[in-house]
Amino acid sequence: MTAIHVQYYAILREQAGKSAERIDTSAATAAALYDELATRYAFTLGRSQLRVAVNDEFCEWTTLLSEGCQVVFIPPVAGG
Amino acid sequence: MSAFEFSHVPLDTQALQASLQDPASGGYASFEGWVRDLNEGRAVKHLEYEAYEALARKEGQRIVEEAITRFGVRGARCVHRIGDLGLGELAVWVGVAAPHRGEAFAACRHIIDEIKHRVPIWKKEHYTDGDSGWVNCERCAAPTVDGHHSGSEQGHHHDHQPAPLTAPVSPHDSPVPDYSRQIVLASVGVDGQKKIRAARVLVIGAGGLGVPVLSYLAGAGVGVLGVMDSDPLEASNLHRQTLYSLQDVGRPKALLAAERLRALNPDVDVRPYVQRADASTLPTLAAGFDVLVDCSDNFRTRFLVNDVTVTLNKTAVIASVYQYEGQIQVIQPGSACLRCVWPTATRDGLVGNCAEAGVLGPVPGVLGAMQALEVMKVLLGTRSPAENAVVLFDLQTLQTRRLKASRSADCPTHCSGNDLAEAKPTDRGILENGPLIDSLDRARALGLAIIDLRDEQEVTQEPLWVLHRHIPLVRLLDDSSVLDQSTGYLLVCTKGLRSSAAVSTLRERGHGNVYSLVGGIAGLKERSTPR
Ligand SMILES: [Zn+2]
């Protein structure tokens, strides 16, 4: 298990009911982590509709997670 | 000779006095301001004067002309020094010639008082202790530069009855924009103010984000401020769009904003466009601006602003809000664009806008103020942390996060040969009301010379098959003197976007005989393909 700090933005935050949490996961990649969380919180957005950033840098979904890393899930927002 | 001038060299008071000589004037009064050795208890060694000259000269002239009219004097002039001055040097000179001494003295006094009060001139004092500091003349010049009156009377037959003066008016009766509070910043200064003044900024959307952007940029004295918005004001806008009034509901926001902004700062050339930003309006309009500010409330417009920015090599400041959150990104030529970050087009309705998701007024207010700030950094040449990044604000917890982004090899905008990524045949009519040519045959019939605007790489990939000159867009716009005024030109690019933008820019510069190939080379190929 890897301990990871996760942060949610916009509609993901609403659906998760929190803006951040620390979780222990067996997911190896950012994609696997999102899929796991999507099941847990019934996220309505697919991965193609959002981006992931690991340690404050946008990255590919295939990025490997490491102990203690910071993962941000974020969709674009439209309001103005 | 002008009523008010700046001089970078010492003043020749003899010549100045002579310029006012006039047989009908019996009295001459002058005032000289000299550099004194003490200001507010500090010993001054020498000082420097600096002015925002274009604006200051206009105001100075207005003051002298006012004095001439009000006091009925025959002639009046004022010259102010700029640059480095030593102790005792002449800093400012005022001269007035009039039939009688009374109005000469009064007009002279009025001019110097108003100049001190109203003309934006800056003074840097160098003290004997090695320290120095900028001070605004408005408040501080008077104690340092003391007056030395020299009245002389040439008259011998009319020296005893001063003409009655008109009632004095308050010196505040015609206030002028005063940028002193920002000019005093080291990062702005007089040069920075000139850059702000020279800038042309187009704000797309005059809503929650647009209102603070427009207000601050108008206040800052941006030279040309475009306001693009097709919507009428709704009562539900007012909790976050505080430039407007309830009684304005139903009127177009672009026009309302222009009205308010002109009142805020008459220096600014505000240009309202009651138009939807779409592929047929935005590229042509954007060509005439340096910086685009995306304050729209939907993805379609936001991505269009991005694509036009990349295509035309402009700078954009893009922001959006969602409930308590905001995102901001600055796009410069060569940096990551919106589609580098979000390569798959996001549909409107997928993640709510303000109407659907709700928003507290200050949230777009904060983000809009930040956009205005980022625009000013761009204009002043300060690097922005929101470049090659998306900066996220969570205004519920007051947390900020900067996520680094880089130019993506898969970015649809950057990979489309710099043409509008989503330009479809239906988007082709960029210049629906403008100078469009739809075939090379027609261009030939009109005797137009053909210029290919594409870059080297595009030309290599797909050479143009008719006689033409190859001048890449940037080079043509840099030096349009290569165009012969007596010849007509058809400009050609891949999809007709760059050519239409170039045509509007060139026409603005007086090249009336230029045309754009609608739909570009891609359009020609499509039309020649049998269905
Ligand atoms: Zn891009």
Side-chain angles (χ1 to χ4, degrees):
Chain A
M1 294 299 255
T2 319
I4 285 169
H5 182 85
V6 186
Q7 202 155 4
Y8 307 103
Y9 278 89
I11 195 167
L12 298 175
R13 174 208 304 267
E14 281 177 79
Q15 290 171 350
K18 59 187 89 172
S19 64
E21 64 180 321
R22 191 188 157 279
I23 58 165
D24 292 311
T25 179
S26 56
T29 63
L33 175 62
Y34 183 76
D35 292 346
E36 181 187 320
L37 294 166
T39 310
R40 185 183 307 172
Y41 296 118
F43 287 151
T44 51
L45 292 181
R47 273 194 264 122
S48 68
Q49 289 154 340
L50 51 106
R51 287 296 306 271
V52 60
V54 175
N55 294 335
D56 287 340
E57 190 156 1
F58 285 106
C59 60
E60 301 300 321
W61 285 104
T62 51
T63 301
L64 296 173
L65 304 177
S66 56
E67 180 71 23
C69 69
Q70 302 243 354
V71 179
V72 173
F73 294 114
I74 177 172
V77 300
Chain B
M1 103 181 190
S2 166
F4 179 89
E5 283 161 52
F6 286 106
S7 172
H8 294 258
V9 296
L11 309 184
D12 177 354
T13 51
Q14 296 275 322
L16 288 168
Q17 180 184 341
S19 74
L20 290 171
Q21 212 104 52
D22 154 38
S25 292
Y28 163 78
S30 82
F31 169 87
E32 295 186 2
W34 299 347
V35 176
R36 205 178 60 177
D37 64 355
L38 208 64
N39 184 30
E40 290 175 0
R42 300 191 72 175
V44 175
K45 206 165 55 178
H46 64 112
L47 53 78
E48 287 168 52
Y49 283 105
E50 216 179 289
Y52 179 34
E53 289 191 35
L55 179 71
R57 195 176 298 119
K58 220 165 77 186
E59 185 60 12
Q61 285 167 359
R62 200 175 298 155
I63 291 168
V64 176
E65 279 151 19
E66 262 169 34
I68 293 174
T69 316
R70 180 187 303 178
F71 297 99
V73 299
R74 301 272 310 167
R77 289 185 71 184
C78 175
V79 185
H80 203 293
R81 274 296 304 279
I82 292 293
D84 205 44
L85 276 77
L87 289 184
E89 263 202 90
L90 177 54
V92 56
W93 174 91
V94 183
V96 179
H100 310 100
R101 66 174 181 277
E103 61 265 33
F105 276 122
C108 187
R109 165 105 211 199
H110 176 82
I111 290 169
I112 189 61
D113 287 350
E114 293 293 290
I115 296 281
K116 295 252 186 260
H117 190 80
R118 284 160 54 184
V119 178
I121 297 170
W122 294 82
K123 184 174 66 171
K124 186 177 198 172
E125 294 182 331
H126 295 266
Y127 307 109
T128 47
D129 58 14
D131 200 6
S132 67
W134 284 103
V135 286
N136 186 345
C137 290
E138 180 188 315
R139 293 188 313 277
C140 314
T144 310
V145 180
D146 265 345
H148 303 266
H149 255 290
S150 76
S152 75
E153 296 243 356
Q154 303 169 329
H156 29 72
H157 53 282
H158 48 47
D159 57 350
H160 49 278
Q161 38 172 257
L165 306 179
T166 49
V169 298
S170 145
H172 299 282
D173 60 352
S174 62
V176 292
D178 178 345
Y179 308 108
S180 55
R181 297 300 187 274
Q182 67 192 35
I183 288 177
V184 77
L185 283 169
S187 55
V188 181
V190 172
D191 284 345
Q193 189 61 40
K194 285 179 189 161
K195 289 179 191 162
I196 293 168
R197 176 84 189 147
R200 298 165 303 173
V201 180
L202 176 63
V203 179
I204 298 113
L209 292 167
V211 160
V213 169
L214 289 162
S215 305
Y216 284 117
L217 294 183
V222 163
V224 179
L225 199 50
V227 191
M228 191 176 198
D229 199 314
S230 61
D231 291 342
L233 181 70
E234 292 175 23
S236 65
N237 298 153
L238 289 166
H239 80 122
R240 64 189 188 282
Q241 300 173 25
T242 53
L243 191 62
Y244 311 119
S245 311
L246 193 56
Q247 64 184 24
D248 297 327
V249 166
R251 293 183 59 204
K253 289 201 274 191
L255 299 182
L256 290 170
E259 213 171 85
R260 303 289 194 278
L261 298 169
R262 284 175 187 140
L264 169 63
N265 188 346
D267 260 4
V268 178
D269 178 1
V270 184
R271 301 184 187 170
Y273 304 98
V274 187
Q275 261 180 328
R276 239 175 107 75
D278 59 33
S280 70
T281 55
L282 189 61
T284 316
L285 190 58
F289 290 86
D290 313 310
V291 180
L292 311 186
V293 191
D294 173 63
C295 300
S296 66
D297 61 356
N298 61 82
F299 286 120
R300 196 191 51 76
T301 307
R302 187 153 289 137
F303 282 98
L304 176 71
V305 170
N306 175 74
D307 296 345
V308 169
T309 301
V310 173
T311 303
L312 299 179
N313 255 313
K314 306 277 180 191
T315 297
V317 178
I318 289 183
S320 52
V321 297
Y322 182 84
Q323 297 183 350
Y324 283 93
E325 292 171 31
Q327 304 181 1
I328 189 163
Q329 187 179 356
V330 173
I331 301 165
Q332 293 272 31
S335 74
C337 79
L338 199 61
R339 285 191 206 269
C340 287
V341 178
W342 314 106
T344 38
T346 304
R347 290 189 318 280
D348 284 308
L350 203 62
V351 265
N353 60 23
C354 294
E356 296 150 7
V359 68
L360 287 179
V363 174
V366 167
L367 269 290
M370 279 179 178
Q371 277 181 295
L373 185 60
E374 292 307 311
V375 170
M376 296 196 58
K377 288 184 198 168
V378 167
L379 301 182
L380 295 169
T382 316
R383 204 145 184 99
S384 165
E387 201 180 310
N388 283 318
V390 175
V391 183
L392 308 176
F393 297 92
D394 178 347
L395 299 175
Q396 183 85 268
T397 59
L398 294 180
Q399 276 185 333
T400 304
R401 192 169 273 274
R402 177 179 183 271
L403 302 178
K404 273 193 276 180
S406 43
R407 266 285 286 274
S408 161
D410 306 323
C411 169
T413 307
H414 277 110
C415 289
S416 61
N418 257 0
D419 247 326
L420 195 59
E422 286 189 332
K424 296 175 195 73
T426 45
D427 289 331
R428 218 188 278 134
I430 299 295
L431 283 179
E432 264 161 0
N433 311 310
L436 286 184
I437 301 274
D438 61 0
S439 79
L440 296 178
D441 285 342
R442 184 158 154 66
R444 221 171 283 130
L446 291 167
L448 302 179
I450 295 172
I451 296 179
D452 186 347
L453 298 177
R454 296 174 302 159
D455 62 36
E456 311 290 342
Q457 199 192 343
E458 295 171 274
V459 170
T460 316
Q461 279 169 4
E462 178 132 51
L464 189 56
W465 56 92
V466 294
L467 187 66
H468 69 279
R469 280 173 76 186
H470 175 223
I471 311 177
L473 175 69
V474 176
R475 219 166 72 213
L476 182 67
L477 293 183
D478 265 352
D479 181 16
S480 47
S481 68
V482 296
L483 299 179
D484 181 351
Q485 288 284 6
S486 61
T487 309
Y489 295 94
L490 177 69
L491 309 185
V492 176
C493 66
T494 304
K495 287 178 182 161
L497 182 74
R498 277 170 288 176
S499 57
S500 69
V503 162
S504 43
T505 304
L506 291 169
R507 287 187 168 220
E508 231 171 71
R509 292 186 197 167
H511 293 279
N513 209 4
V514 289
Y515 302 85
S516 166
L517 178 66
V518 63
I521 293 167
L524 290 180
K525 287 191 355 206
E526 192 180 286
R527 283 192 292 275
S528 65
T529 311
R531 284 155 207 267

